[in-house]
Amino acid sequence: MALLRLGYHNGMNKNAVSKQPTPQTEAATDRRAISAKTLDKLRVTILELFASGLYQDVGIRDICSRAKVSPQTVYKYFGNKEEMLYACIKQDLDRLNATMIAAAQEHQQLSDQVRAIMTVWCDFYFDNPGMARIVFLNIPLAYWVGERQFVQSALHDALYQRVSDGQQQGEVWAELPADILNEVLMGSAYRLMVRWLSDDNLSADQVRCYLIAVVLKLITVDGECE
């Protein structure tokens, strides 16, 4: 296994991500003395370090040393390491979510909507391997399953809505509850993306094809993938 696909493709470190992390609250922003330039440098540093190292190996002191900010500044602005990492990727995930939902709305058929959702989702991470590594290898598992800051909430909600509606309309396999079936779909998406990150013999096109095929196979009543 080649560990791992690294880097920010298509200028991800500057262009594919937004300029500033989202503060926890506007009021908190007023109390935190940090310039936009410093915040941008801090964010880029955080993304680079987490994209090239494991979560537990990236320390606040390493981040501060590279970004030339004090640990006190980081803790005042973000609170802790988990919040810091989440804040740095949130705007990118929000952009992904909006694009994904817009793509689904262009189609009427359930299978086409699901295919559009999964295509946008896959291509976002294929174009941004550094972000993929952060999300799938470095985000604590609680952020995948928790309700407060679920990093894949838009994908989860988009698929669940279509599974639930499809079951009611007789278009989706109904022998499992919609929420359980959706968990299986999310698990498949997660594991295939991890496999892509760790296996150079598995191409992005293969992963996209496999994932769409699996999702459609699991949800359609007759098991056909159109």
Side-chain angles (χ1 to χ4, degrees), residues 191-208:
R191 288 301 306 167
L192 273 173
M193 197 60 69
V194 170
R195 175 70 180 272
W196 172 73
L197 285 165
S198 59
D199 185 354
D200 283 338
N201 294 318
L202 189 64
S203 71
D205 288 340
Q206 286 176 309
V207 170
R208 186 192 306 103

Side-chain angles (χ1 to χ4, degrees), residues 16 18 33 35 55 120 135 145 150 155 161-162 179 204 208 211 213 224:
S18 45
S35 69
Y55 178 83
V120 170
V135 169
V145 299
F150 181 34
L155 176 63
Q161 190 63 53
R162 282 154 183 82
D179 60 331
R208 186 192 306 103
L211 183 55
E224 295 297 329

Side-chain angles (χ1 to χ4, degrees), residues 4-10 12 51 123-137 196-197:
L4 289 154
R5 300 175 197 254
L6 303 178
Y8 295 95
H9 187 66
N10 290 344
M12 178 192 161
D123 288 349
F124 173 81
Y125 290 113
F126 295 153
D127 290 340
N128 300 287
M131 182 65 72
R133 177 173 161 79
I134 290 171
V135 169
F136 297 101
L137 300 180
W196 172 73
L197 285 165

Side-chain angles (χ1 to χ4, degrees), residues 9-225:
H9 187 66
N10 290 344
M12 178 192 161
N13 61 332
K14 290 281 187 179
N15 301 323
V17 295
S18 45
K19 288 293 183 183
Q20 297 180 8
T22 301
Q24 295 173 354
T25 64
E26 290 184 4
T29 302
D30 295 338
R31 296 196 301 269
R32 295 163 182 169
I34 183 170
S35 69
K37 182 178 180 180
T38 299
L39 197 55
D40 181 56
K41 184 177 181 180
L42 179 60
R43 182 173 185 275
V44 170
T45 299
I46 290 168
L47 292 175
E48 288 176 345
L49 286 174
F50 278 105
S52 60
L54 296 177
Y55 178 83
Q56 64 270 20
D57 295 333
V58 178
I60 295 295
R61 292 188 180 278
D62 295 330
I63 293 169
C64 293
S65 177
R66 283 207 190 185
K68 300 190 185 314
V69 299
S70 69
Q72 291 82 2
T73 297
V74 172
Y75 284 119
K76 283 180 181 179
Y77 193 85
F78 296 108
N80 57 54
K81 190 164 78 169
E82 289 184 6
E83 294 288 348
M84 175 185 67
L85 180 55
Y86 182 78
C88 287
I89 67 171
K90 183 179 184 300
Q91 291 182 12
D92 297 285
L93 296 182
D94 287 346
R95 176 169 55 87
L96 163 63
N97 297 341
T99 304
M100 190 169 57
I101 299 306
Q105 291 174 344
E106 295 179 0
H107 303 278
Q108 296 296 322
Q109 298 254 341
L110 173 67
S111 60
D112 292 334
Q113 291 179 6
V114 170
R115 186 178 285 106
I117 289 170
M118 300 312 302
T119 297
V120 170
W121 186 81
C122 286
D123 288 349
F124 173 81
Y125 290 113
F126 295 153
D127 290 340
N128 300 287
M131 182 65 72
R133 177 173 161 79
I134 290 171
V135 169
F136 297 101
L137 300 180
N138 275 336
I139 291 290
L141 187 59
Y143 281 76
W144 265 85
V145 299
E147 294 181 357
R148 185 170 61 91
Q149 290 178 323
F150 181 34
V151 296
Q152 301 295 349
S153 60
L155 176 63
H156 181 279
D157 294 345
L159 288 179
Y160 174 78
Q161 190 63 53
R162 282 154 183 82
V163 168
S164 180
D165 291 348
Q167 285 182 335
Q168 295 178 26
Q169 296 166 9
E171 298 178 16
V172 170
W173 185 49
E175 292 185 31
L176 287 180
D179 60 331
I180 299 301
L181 182 54
N182 201 46
E183 294 294 341
V184 175
L185 301 180
M186 292 297 297
S188 298
Y190 175 89
R191 288 301 306 167
L192 273 173
M193 197 60 69
V194 170
R195 175 70 180 272
W196 172 73
L197 285 165
S198 59
D199 185 354
D200 283 338
N201 294 318
L202 189 64
S203 71
D205 288 340
Q206 286 176 309
V207 170
R208 186 192 306 103
C209 179
Y210 294 157
L211 183 55
I212 291 173
V214 165
V215 170
L216 291 178
K217 189 81 170 179
L218 283 172
I219 69 174
T220 52
V221 172
D222 56 8
E224 295 297 329
C225 298

